[in-house]
Amino acid sequence: MGEGMILKIENLHVKYGQVEVLHGINLHVNKGEIVTILGANGAGKSTTLNAISGLVKVSSGAIYFEDQPISKVPAHRVVELGVAQAPEGRRVFGTLTVQENLNLGAFTNRDGDNIIQTLGWIYELFPVLLERKNQLAGTLSGGEQQMLAIGRALMANPKVLLLDEPSLGLAPILVKAIFKTLKEINEAGLTIVLVEQNARAALKLANRGYVFEVGKVALEGPSADLLEDPNVQNAYLGGNH
Amino acid sequence: MEEFFQQLTNGLAVGGIYALIALGYTMVYGVLKLINFAHGDLFTLGAYLGLTLLTSLGLSGHLGTVLGLIVLAIMVTGFVGIAGALLERAAYRPLRDSHRLSAVVSALGASIFLQNTIMLIYGAKNYVYPLDILPRTTLHIFGLPVPLVRILILTASLLLMAGLYLFIQKTRLGTAIRAAAIDQGAAKLMGINVNQVIMIVFLVGPGLGGVAGLMVGLYYGQVNFTMGWVYGLKAFTAAILGGIGNIPGAMVGGLLLGVIEALGAAYISIAWKDAIAFCVLIVILIVRPTGILGERVADKI
Amino acid sequence: ADTIKIGLMAPLTGSWASEGEEMKNIVNLLADEINANGGLLGQQIEVIAEDDGGDPRTASLAAQRLATQEVIAVIGTYGSSVTEASQAIYDDFSILQVANGSTAIRLTEKGLKYFFRTSPRDDEQGRVAAQTIKGLGFGKVAILHDNTSYAKGLAEETKGLLEKTSNSIVFFDALTPGERDYTAILTKMKAANPDVVFFTGYYPELGLILRQKMEMAWNVPFIGGDATNNPDLVKIAGAKAAEGYYFLSPPVPQDLAFAKSKDFLKAYKAKYGSYPGSIWAVLSGDGFLTITEGVKAAKTTDPEKLAEFLHAGTQKVSGLTGKIAFNTKGDRVGEVYRVYRIDAEGKFILQDK
Amino acid sequence: MSLLSIRNLTKRFGGLTAVNKVSFDVEEGAIVGLIGPNGAGKTTVFNLITGNYRPDEGDILFAGTSIKALRTHKIVSMGIARTFQTIRLFQKVSVLENVLAGRHCRMKAGLVAGMLKTPFEKKEEREALRYCVEELEFVGLKGQESQVADSLSYGNQRLLEIARALASEPKLLILDEPAGGMNEQETEALVGLIGKLKGRGLTILLIEHDMSLVMRACEHLVVLEYGCKIAEGPPETVKNDPKVIEAYLGAD
Amino acid sequence: MMNEKYKLFLYSAFALILATAPLYLNSYWVDVLNSVGLYAILALSLNIILGDAGLYNMGHAAFFAVGAYTAAYLNTQFGLPILWALPVSGIVAGIAGLLVARPVVHLRGDYLLIVTVGVGEILRIALINDVFGLTGGPNGIFGIDRPVLFGFKIRKPQEFFYLIWGFVAVTIFLFYRLKNSRFGRALDYLREDMTAAEGSGIDTGRYQLYAFMVGAAWAGMAGTLYASKMSIISPESFSFWESVLIFIIVILGGSGNIAGVLLGTFLIIGLPEAFRGFANARMWFFGLAMMLMMIFRTEGILPHRPRVFKSLDRQRP
Ligand SMILES: Nc1ncnc2c1ncn2[C@@H]1O[C@H](COP(=O)(O)OP(=O)(O)OP(=O)(O)O)[C@@H](O)[C@H]1O
Ligand SMILES: Nc1ncnc2c1ncn2[C@@H]1O[C@H](COP(=O)(O)OP(=O)(O)OP(=O)(O)O)[C@@H](O)[C@H]1O
Ligand SMILES: [Mg+2]
Ligand SMILES: [Mg+2]
């Protein structure tokens, strides 16, 4: 594993039943980077994140986190190692309160001070969550749930944060705020892998990017290059808008 | 009036046992959303194991009654808990990702299997616990004769419920159990070892069922291989009545069911008492569709 | 055929499995005995046991199955409605049926040619029960049954007879079998303040009731029907609680003077380690003896001739519960019932008439 | 008369007033956007219109009649169809049957006709199938009829929801974040689809956070914040309204 | 498609083997098949409620009982021929289904399940206690006539075979058509997602009631056949365990799939008979087999498959 690399995926294959949906993904993330993964619906972005987190079984290939192979490590151990995910579809614990959800995010976090600090910071970032502290997460509006999912992942105090379409369903003002925050926490040392439909914003934020097409990496490179790439422009940036 | 209070204590005594079995039922249900129809048979297993251990080890002889019974209860809880965990491993885990009712059918199969295993091992006849292991003291509370053992059973149920409730609500592991109950995938993403959580639940739930079986054996004296079916159904009813998946609910449901049965028998008809209990259940559910302390529902559209 | 096939239809699984198990034991033991002594009419006996699960539908399948296996006669079964589901099938196939635990009156009122029973009928037991209650001088009677057709039949029969005399029925209701706690019922019954309780259900429930009655410190005497005749009753209730309990029953083999009964008991104990518990199971042994002795005496295995022979009622078979003979309906004739009382040690003591 | 008229609508959840005295109108043939910050009460307004929730105060008039007390399926048969913020398809059912669900309220055959396959039933089925296939084609899902709904990509699932709504021949179509989870190319196609729908004479009310879509597709915007209407008007005006910028759009 | 032809062949071969069964099986095995047939009707009727509409009903024996007792009562009290009682008891059971479902059908999953268990138990207790003097208490009703069809009295298992399986065939024919109709689809939708179904314009409350009504009516007719075959009915035959058995058949066979439910009936009703050789261990093997089948076919033996539209191209405009 290369110098400064925190996460590395080699020739990753994943199947759902009989159907293979990832056909040999190669990808790496350096410490302190923001890497974005783009791609059409069904390209395998979420599957890749879930493979890293250990939620789906890897059929072949390897995943390394800090030089340690993790493709066979169970999901809960991966979190303990320092990889947290805010998953697609939010998956908040609907019958628990907002506060309880956030506490669960800190399940593996044994640093009490850090928990209190992070919690305060999350409530500052998303004041609505503070207002809704004792409301059941299931009754939150779509966007509020999205905030909760992001906040919950941050509570783990991870080394790498995996975000699956964090801007989905958020008001523009919040999207801006979140992207700004991501920048800040990244600068504070957190490595981020960002799956996004909002390609332009994601590329503007990220250091590097990968473009997936039907379970393969079609393009990769520094964000600036991808932003300029005519293929990317046509397919993901909505032409000339 | 005296008869009324007497019937009330009768009902509470029966209800205490329903509650104890319902606790285990509800715990398992809470996490897997599985109606574990084999729970009643694990209860039977507890009663039989208790009898075997009691007669073969002579614990109360060696250790004195109180200590002997405590050790016996711990052993039964442990063994039945292990049986429960094995059952989960063999019959439920393979079905965890399939339709909920598939696991229910597997549980029904497990129930038949366990019941007949006990029958094949022990034979079909009734077994009887040695008499007078428990003190047969009868207390007089406000002039009502109440056997001491009933008070002990009720106290034990209440203590176990309280302990379990605190465990689920206040401890780290309890929180993990609640999270796993809602969304196993998301729970894994929180760093929760879901398999372990389920295993613990299947140690505790059936363990409680087993110890309830032991209590029934010790108190009532008579056990047979089909007894779990009736008790299992009652406990399930109790758990639903209180709001399934909810620990205080199981307690409330169990006690209430016992009291309804006793009062129904006393003031309406003995022969109809189960029908009366079900009628009350239905009425309660019509008014409160998720039971008395039913779980909070959140279906955001 | 080289063997004579006799069917046994019994509840080998389900909640009555303990009864079925004993029935099978007894019939097998008796068959082995005959086979060891050269068989029947020079042929070996083969017992084919089928499970009726204690439920009518399974029973009708069991009956069909036995009917296709060329049995000449069938013993069984337990439970009147279960037996009834099989009656017509055996009749269609001209197979002799000797029921052992089916006391409903109507079973023999249909005029079926091949149907017999070694168990007495509800009306007979009812009569003896009413007599006994009166004989012991009780006035106010509580009657408790368990809503099985047997227990309810007996309860209603007795109630009818008692109401015709000076007795008053102060309580009449049914418990739910299979439960453990009957204190609610006892409390309610106590409030009715009867002189005696007549219980027509089964021994497991009664054992619990007697025990819980003692804990309540209620001293009312209990009288029960033959379904409570089981040594386990004392084990469940404890000798102290069981003491003084009366019940009606055909005589248990222990109390019969025949050498045959004594030998049987010895052999049973030697093979299975204890005495048979259930009177119904013993009656299945009587069913077996009815068939085999009938064959021996009539010198034929033809069910039609056998049936005619048994209906004639001339030949008395010595069974495990006394002499057995049948009337034209197929019911056992003669007074079968005796009164027992449990003593301080928990022994069943036959009372003088 | 407007097609849909919201009058003083209020909805409370416990102590929270999710929708607070909101009034606005949707004219026949118009495309109206409902925007506002997260938790402003937009979806709640939709749920009130379609009868999933009951309003605490106020009224909802559809073509002049009050629908606030009607049950959802009744409202659908009157001509209001919707899609959901989190996709709610019949996941294990084929694509075409999903669309047929929308057609249900325009069909008549009942239990007995279904068992006996009467000529009327057969004819009605045939026509329904044809109609639904056409709707699938219209949204761009031709050839996927026999697939199971959950095997479709996310964007296509959204389109399928629209097709299902269309099958009930609504006058008013309400879409809750139709572009959520779509990339910009797909969003582009969606704008085209909405245009075609307008061409068919449908009236559309939609919630969307993707401003590029809102600006291009809508003729009129209503803005909610904390359950209250804070602005209303043509997109260009609303876009530059300082209140809206502060609450929702954010400064660039 | 090759697969379709193969399937058709398989089904016809199966039907043929079944139809000629009384010619080569003895009366016992024919009677086993009769039992299978009766339960097939019950399971298919429960399948409408449980498999199609997704309503957890674990008290189906109650409707079976209503049908059986209605027929038995009408037959023994008023001499109504048993086959005439068939539609009557269907209607009575259907109404019972409606009445039961009306107040409780909105309950979610397991709450509905326990309520239906309760309804089954209440009914059984009512039967045992000879409610209104109609049911004969624990003895039940006896002396029920055998059916007479065109002057021919049906009594042997071989004869019942054709009556019962004829009814099964009609049931399959009608239910299969129902499945792919507007009605059948509505049930699919409400099973999958109640909110979305209502939001698509389906009166979910009404269809839930209809599902109960149809299922109950068919179970009631099965009850009539059962009563005429046994000629005596008693409360034991309608215990909670019977409801459980029917429930198991539907789920294990493949809920929502008619062929699966049929196969499930053969297994669940047939296996205990096949295991008779194990004597008192037969239910032990049965329990074991049930677990194993479920573990290896987690969605049931023949799970429900979404409908395939083959002929669309022809219909395309
Ligand atoms: N649980 C599953 N079972 C079967 N197939 C699945 C499952 N989850 C995803 N797939 C399929 O795997 C492929 C990749 O899906 P994935 O969710 O990883 O895509 P994605 O790039 O995240 O798309 P989106 O932008 O829609 O989120 C798709 O074809 C999808 O249909
Ligand atoms: N069933 C409910 N119980 C309690 N509160 C609810 C319920 N439904 C919605 N809310 C609350 O009402 C408010 C409005 O929710 P709504 O879903 O209408 O927001 P929205 O405008 O659609 O937001 P978003 O853009 O994030 O989807 C939210 O704060 C939410 O938490
Ligand atoms: Mg994705
Ligand atoms: Mg919303």
Side-chain angles (χ1 to χ4, degrees), chain C residues 321-336:
Chain C
T321 59
K323 293 278 179 201
I324 305 169
F326 298 94
N327 61 19
T328 48
K329 290 176 178 173
D331 278 320
R332 193 170 168 179
V333 292
E335 279 277 297
V336 194

Side-chain angles (χ1 to χ4, degrees), chain B residues 29 90 98 100 102 109 117 244, chain E residues 110-111 284 290 295 298-299:
Chain B
Y29 183 92
S98 14
R100 291 188 46 208
S102 298
T117 305
I244 192 154
Chain E
D110 302 310
Y111 291 92
W284 186 85
M290 235 168 90
I295 290 169
T298 54
E299 299 298 333

Side-chain angles (χ1 to χ4, degrees), chain A residues 40-47 50 88-89 164-165 195 197, chain D residues 154:
Chain A
N41 280 303
K45 306 180 294 291
S46 303
T47 305
N50 286 338
E88 187 173 40
D164 202 341
E165 304 193 24
V195 169
Q197 294 293 355
Chain D
Y154 194 84

